[in-house]
Structures are given as C-alpha cells and as structure tokens.
C-alpha cells in the first residue's frame, strides 16, 4: 500500500525534469557565488556569453543525441566541425553571392561523412567507436596535410550569424534552440524518430518488428554530421575564416558529456533532445561561472568531470531503485497484480522497447 504513492511520485518526475532542476540549482548557486564577489551573473554580458557558449556545443550535442539513442556514438564530429569551417570559408571566398553555395556544400560534405559512418556501421558491422574514430583520423590527416593555417574568407554579411543578437539572445543561440525544437518534434512525431528509440532499446527486436535498423542508423549519423556542419558554419562566421585546428577543442567528448549529463542512456533507447539541451546549458553556465570566478583551467575540468560522473551515478542509482521498488511491488501482489512501468526517461520521445524486447 505504501509503495504505490512512492511509485506514482517517481513516475511524475522524469530524468528530463531532474536535469532542469539541476540547471536551476546551478544557476542559483552560481549566482550566489558570483554575487559574493560583487558581480552579477545575470548581467546582459554574462547572459550573452553563456548563450554563445551553449550554441556551438548545443548544435553538436543535438546530433550526438540521435546516434547515442541508437546505441551508437560519433567521435568524428570535432573533425567534421573543423573541416566544415574550411569548406565554408574556401567556398565562399569572401564573395557574398557564394554564401548559399558555401552553406550547401558544407552541409553536403558533412552529410556525406555521416553517410559513410552510418553505412560502415550498419552494413560492414564495424563498431561505432572504431568507425567514427577512424573517420576522424582520416579527416585530421587530410586537414594536417592540406591546410597549414587559416584558409578562405567569410563575407561580412554571413559573419553576422556569429555575432548578431536578437535582444540579449545571440542569433546562433536562437538557431540552436530552433534546431532543438525540431529535434524534439522529430523524435516525438516522426516514424524514424520512434524507430531510433526502438533500435537503441533492442536492435534485434526492432528488426523482427519490421524496422529497417540499418536505415535508421544511417539517418542518425547523417543528421549528426550535418549538425556538426552547422556548428562549423557558426565557427567560420565567428572567425571570418576556416581553421583546421578547431578539432583540438574536444567537441566530440564535450558533446557526449552533454548528452549523458542530459539523461540520455549511453547504451541507447532512453533520453532525448530536451534533456541534452539542459545538459548543454548546465555546462555553459558552469563555464561562465568558472570564468567569472577566475577558476584555474585544470581545476575547472576537474569540477566538470566530477559533476558529470555524479549526475550519471544519480541516474543509474535511480534506475536501480525504481527496478527494486517494482520487484517489491510485484511481490506484494499489488493492485491488479500488474507491475507499474518504469518512469518515463524524458518528455520528448517514446519509451525504449528494451523492456518489451525481453518479454
């Protein structure tokens, strides 16, 4: 009798909600710490800085979410971002009339890389870690041999993408938020979005259910690479040129960290874009607070690592607690003799078929 209210409360509070509660906590604690130094975390300059930081990582992390939902990952996104800055800048070559061509070619090249990743993983059955790491090394080798420094030029009009604001919201952040909304709707409303959860939950069950798992995997990797291409366009707009050394910034690991911090299960099938957006905002807010407080760069990485590990440990512990409570509930022969379902992992996608596949 007493376990039913507890289970109901847990069903009401999903992982996505926990992420945004954590974000609120980071904002409140950060605001207090900054205020103790006589500064204002919520000033226009600091807000613009936080949103600007979130836009670039957010674009990469949104695509990374899709591949992780499919029980895959992409370690080549940082190299795709670097390559995209150069493709965009060299194609545009300072000519405003070539901006549409530069955007199209950049997204086409990025999509082709994602297509190659997806086909190698789904057709040749190569492990995603090896596939995308190898693809990243191929791109790195090309960049290191062909580009010894900045190359190309971005027209002044397109540079507004990197620096314009709508009120206090950078245009790049507005584009990232629009991409997040599109990702949420894609996972909730489209057949392929639903299939991504199914493939991540159990590829074998999804295949026996008639889902073309290879096509789903390829689609996820193409979208992931194209979102990295958009991030490359943003960096090219900010720099005014292409830069091969962008791959040293570690976007592949930061994007995975944001996805996991946002509550997406690294083994696939659970999570969503809304949680990832919260994870991105948490990391961006932490970086802004650390910079204002003048935290040492090494210690900043240590703190970020501790926070990510703690968050994942909490998620894992919560799943274990829910499963243990469900077993106790079953043993009590509760109402109707049925077992309550696991709490929904998020609000922007269907529940994984992983449990259903075990029936």
């Amino acid at each position: 009798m007493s376990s039913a209210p507890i289970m109901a409360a847990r069903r009401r509070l999903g992982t996505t909600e926990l992420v945004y509660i954590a974000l609120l906590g980071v904002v409140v604690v950060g605001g207090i710490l900054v205020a103790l130094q006589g500064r204002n975390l919520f000033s226009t300059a600091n807000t613009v800085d936080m949103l600007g930081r979130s836009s670039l990582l957010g674009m990469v992390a949104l695509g990374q979410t899709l591949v992780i939902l499919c029980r895959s990952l992409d370690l080549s996104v940082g190299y795709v971002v670097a390559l995209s800055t150069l493709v965009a800048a060299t194609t545009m070559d300072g000519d405003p009339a070539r901006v549409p061509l530069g955007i199209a070619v950049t997204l086409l090249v990025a999509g082709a890389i994602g297509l190659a990743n997806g086909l190698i993983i789904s057709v040749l059955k190569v492990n995603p870690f090896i596939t995308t790491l190898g693809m990243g090394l191929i791109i790195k080798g090309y960049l290191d041999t062909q580009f010894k420094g900045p190359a190309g030029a971005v027209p002044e009009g397109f540079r507004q993408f990197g620096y314009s604001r709508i009120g206090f919201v950078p245009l790049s952040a507005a584009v990232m938020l629009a991409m997040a909304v599109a990702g949420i709707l894609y996972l909730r409303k489209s057949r392929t979005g639903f299939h991504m959860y199914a493939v991540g939950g159990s590829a074998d069950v999804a295949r026996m259910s008639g889902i073309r798992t290879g096509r789903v995997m390829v689609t996820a990797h193409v979208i992931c690479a194209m979102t990295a291409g958009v991030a490359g366009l943003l960096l090219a707009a900010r720099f005014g040129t292409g830069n091969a050394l962008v791959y040293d910034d570690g976007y592949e690991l930061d994007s995975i960290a944001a996805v996991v911090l946002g509550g997406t299960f690294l083994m696939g099938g659970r999570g969503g874009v809304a949680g990832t957006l919260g994870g991105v905002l948490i990391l961006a807010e932490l970086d802004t607070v650390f910079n204002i407080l003048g935290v040492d760069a090494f210690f900043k990485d240590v703190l970020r690592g501790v926070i990510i590990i703690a968050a994942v440990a909490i998620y894992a512990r919560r799943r274990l607690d829910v499963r243990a409570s469900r077993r106790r509930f079953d043993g009590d022969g509760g109402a109707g003799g049925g077992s309550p379902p696991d709490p929904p992992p998020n609000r922007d996608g269907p529940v994984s078929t992983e449990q259903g596949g075990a029936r």
Side-chain angles (χ1 to χ4, degrees):
M1 294 295 294
S2 61
S3 62
I6 297 176
M7 293 302 298
R10 285 177 174 171
R11 282 197 295 271
R12 286 194 298 269
L13 191 62
T15 303
T16 301
E17 287 83 356
L18 289 177
V19 172
Y20 283 92
I21 290 173
L23 174 61
L24 179 61
V26 169
V27 172
V28 172
V29 174
I32 293 173
L33 293 176
V34 172
L36 291 176
Q37 288 198 350
R39 311 278 295 274
N40 180 13
L41 177 63
F42 309 106
S43 67
T44 300
N46 289 332
T47 302
V48 170
D49 177 68
M50 188 276 291
L51 292 175
R53 290 175 182 276
S54 66
S55 59
L56 185 60
L57 176 59
M59 291 172 182
V60 180
L62 293 178
Q64 192 76 257
T65 303
L66 301 185
V67 295
I68 291 179
L69 282 176
C70 294
R71 197 175 293 193
S72 184
L73 81 167
D74 193 337
L75 295 178
S76 67
V77 287
Y79 302 97
V80 174
V81 171
L83 178 63
S84 296
T85 66
L86 289 160
V87 172
T90 55
T91 303
M92 295 177 187
D93 199 25
D95 185 357
R98 295 172 63 88
V99 169
L101 177 62
I103 296 173
V105 172
T106 300
L107 295 180
L108 181 63
V109 170
I113 295 172
L115 177 63
N117 282 334
L119 290 175
I120 293 171
I121 293 169
S122 60
V123 177
L124 300 182
K125 307 300 180 183
V126 180
N127 184 278
F129 181 93
I130 300 301
T131 299
T132 57
L133 177 62
M135 183 63 70
L137 293 176
I138 292 172
I139 298 172
K140 180 180 183 297
Y142 171 76
L143 294 176
D144 289 344
T145 55
Q146 298 298 319
F147 300 95
K148 303 302 181 182
V154 175
E156 185 63 32
F158 187 71
R159 296 195 66 183
Q160 299 305 310
F161 176 42
Y163 294 103
S164 292
R165 293 189 300 177
I166 304 173
F168 64 89
V169 179
L171 178 59
S172 58
V175 172
M176 185 269 292
L177 291 173
M179 291 170 60
V181 171
I184 293 171
L185 294 176
Y186 180 76
L187 289 174
R188 293 191 62 176
K189 302 297 184 181
S190 73
R191 183 187 299 269
T192 304
F194 181 82
H195 288 172
M196 287 180 182
Y197 284 94
V199 171
S202 175
D204 291 336
V205 172
R207 189 178 301 108
M208 289 187 291
S209 300
I211 296 174
R212 298 181 178 179
T213 57
R215 178 179 296 181
V216 174
M217 184 70 70
V218 169
T219 300
H221 276 278
V222 169
I223 295 175
C224 179
M226 292 183 73
T227 58
V230 176
L233 288 169
L234 171 58
L235 273 181
R238 289 180 178 178
F239 293 156
T241 186
N243 190 343
L245 298 181
V246 168
Y247 60 68
D248 285 332
D249 292 337
Y251 291 114
E252 58 280 352
L253 297 182
D254 283 348
S255 64
I256 294 173
V259 172
V260 174
L261 184 60
T264 296
F265 190 30
L266 196 57
M267 294 302 294
R270 294 175 180 268
V273 170
T276 296
L277 181 60
V280 168
L281 293 175
I282 288 174
L283 292 179
E285 189 69 25
L286 286 173
D287 282 344
T288 300
V289 172
F290 291 157
N291 287 339
I292 295 174
L293 298 178
V295 176
D296 179 78
F298 171 76
F299 189 59
K300 179 173 67 174
D301 288 338
V302 171
L303 288 176
R304 288 182 63 180
V306 169
I307 291 170
I308 292 169
I309 292 173
V312 175
I314 291 171
Y315 298 152
R317 180 64 184 175
R318 189 167 178 270
R319 290 192 195 98
L320 291 175
D321 288 344
V322 169
R323 290 173 182 172
S325 298
R326 184 180 61 187
R327 287 194 293 269
R328 289 195 297 269
F329 187 83
D330 291 342
D332 292 339
S339 62
D342 287 343
N346 54 63
R347 297 289 184 182
D348 58 318
V351 178
S352 165
T353 60
E354 182 177 15
Q355 298 296 332
R359 294 192 184 100

